[in-house]
């Protein structure tokens, strides 16, 4: 049997991830099974298990996909000249979350699945380990942005970047959770409200 190309293999992997995201968005994290994903993808069980050995590997891949996008965005912001103030950087990241929420096809499901993963982490230790590792990556990306801002004078010289990174990740999560429930919430107004807190 001929070997498939790397491009074909990656396209099939992405197809499976999209199927898994649709299943989780529709069925919920806990209720989704590999059988659901196999049926949704239209691929054979053998083909699916050739890419992912089980549900937790799918969860890890979905988390990598979502947070990979956001940490990549933060890496670009960390290198930006002049450095962005933290709330300006936050608005850029929230704009990206908004894009993901309103994307066509399966895109809008990805943030919904992220929120479900956080909830599932409260009951499943394996999911908790995956989410914790990915959140640590997000914290690290924010620390890089904040250090650059501090070194350039866009952030106070004595600012605690570790604590601020935790606050900014929490703010992102809070925005996403509320945005799924409140239609009127948008990044500019949300960040404007945060700026008011300085008064």
């Amino acid at each position: 049997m001929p070997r498939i190309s790397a491009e074909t293999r990656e396209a099939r992997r992405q197809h499976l991830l999209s199927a898994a995201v649709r299943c989780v968005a529709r069925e919920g994290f806990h209720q989704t099974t590999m059988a659901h994903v196999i049926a949704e993808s239209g691929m054979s069980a053998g083909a699916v298990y050739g890419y992912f050995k089980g549900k937790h590997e799918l969860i890890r891949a979905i988390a990598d996909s979502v947070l990979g996008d956001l940490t990549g965005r933060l890496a670009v912001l960390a290198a930006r000249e002049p450095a962005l103030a933290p709330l300006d950087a936050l608005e850029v990241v929230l704009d990206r979350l908004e894009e993901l929420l309103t994307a066509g096809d399966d895109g809008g499901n990805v943030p919904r699945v992220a929120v479900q993963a956080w909830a599932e982490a409260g009951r499943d230790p394996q999911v908790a380990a995956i989410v914790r590792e990915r959140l640590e990556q997000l914290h690290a990306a924010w620390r890089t942005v904040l250090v650059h801002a501090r070194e350039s004078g866009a952030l106070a010289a004595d600012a605690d970047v570790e604590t601020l990174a935790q606050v900014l990740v929490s703010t992102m999560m809070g925005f996403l959770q509320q945005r799924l429930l409140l239609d009127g919430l948008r990044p500019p107004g949300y960040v404007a409200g945060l700026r008011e807190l300085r008064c």
Side-chain angles (χ1 to χ4, degrees), residues 83-94:
L84 287 177
L87 288 181
D88 293 331
L90 177 65
E91 188 166 357
V92 172
V93 174
L94 296 187

Side-chain angles (χ1 to χ4, degrees), residues 9-197:
R9 183 168 177 77
E10 180 58 23
R12 289 182 183 174
R13 183 178 183 278
Q14 289 303 317
H15 174 74
L16 281 170
L17 281 177
S18 293
V21 166
R22 289 193 300 273
C23 287
V24 172
R26 184 176 62 243
E27 306 289 340
F29 231 103
H30 186 54
Q31 296 300 320
T32 296
T33 65
M34 287 299 284
H36 286 124
V37 176
I38 290 165
E40 183 75 22
S41 71
M43 296 172 69
S44 71
V48 171
Y49 282 104
Y51 288 88
F52 300 102
K53 292 183 176 64
K55 185 171 150 182
H56 287 100
E57 284 195 8
L58 274 168
I59 293 167
R60 184 174 286 106
I62 292 168
D64 283 343
S65 175
V66 176
L67 292 183
D69 181 290
L70 295 174
T71 54
R73 192 66 51 116
L74 285 165
V76 170
L77 294 178
R80 188 164 167 173
E81 294 293 348
L84 287 177
L87 288 181
D88 293 331
L90 177 65
E91 188 166 357
V92 172
V93 174
L94 296 187
D95 282 338
R96 179 55 183 159
L97 280 175
E98 181 72 19
E99 289 172 14
L100 290 172
L101 277 164
T102 56
D105 301 323
D106 299 329
N109 287 328
V110 171
R112 290 171 178 81
V113 169
V115 170
Q116 289 191 43
W118 299 331
E120 186 72 3
R123 62 165 300 280
D124 185 326
Q126 285 185 281
V127 176
I130 294 165
V131 171
R132 187 180 303 110
E133 182 180 345
R134 298 322 181 259
L135 285 177
E136 286 170 357
Q137 292 172 357
L138 202 51
H139 285 144
W142 267 115
R143 283 195 299 271
T144 303
V145 171
L146 292 165
V147 166
H148 182 51
R150 188 173 62 185
E151 290 172 348
S152 69
L155 181 64
D158 60 351
D160 179 351
V161 296
E162 182 66 37
T163 300
L164 286 175
Q166 294 169 352
V167 168
L168 287 164
V169 170
S170 296
T171 303
M172 290 170 59
M173 295 168 72
F175 170 83
L176 180 54
Q177 181 67 69
Q178 290 189 78
R179 177 63 181 82
L180 290 171
L181 300 171
L182 304 174
D183 290 337
L185 187 67
R186 294 294 183 274
Y190 191 81
V191 174
L194 291 171
R195 294 184 198 281
E196 291 293 322
L197 291 173

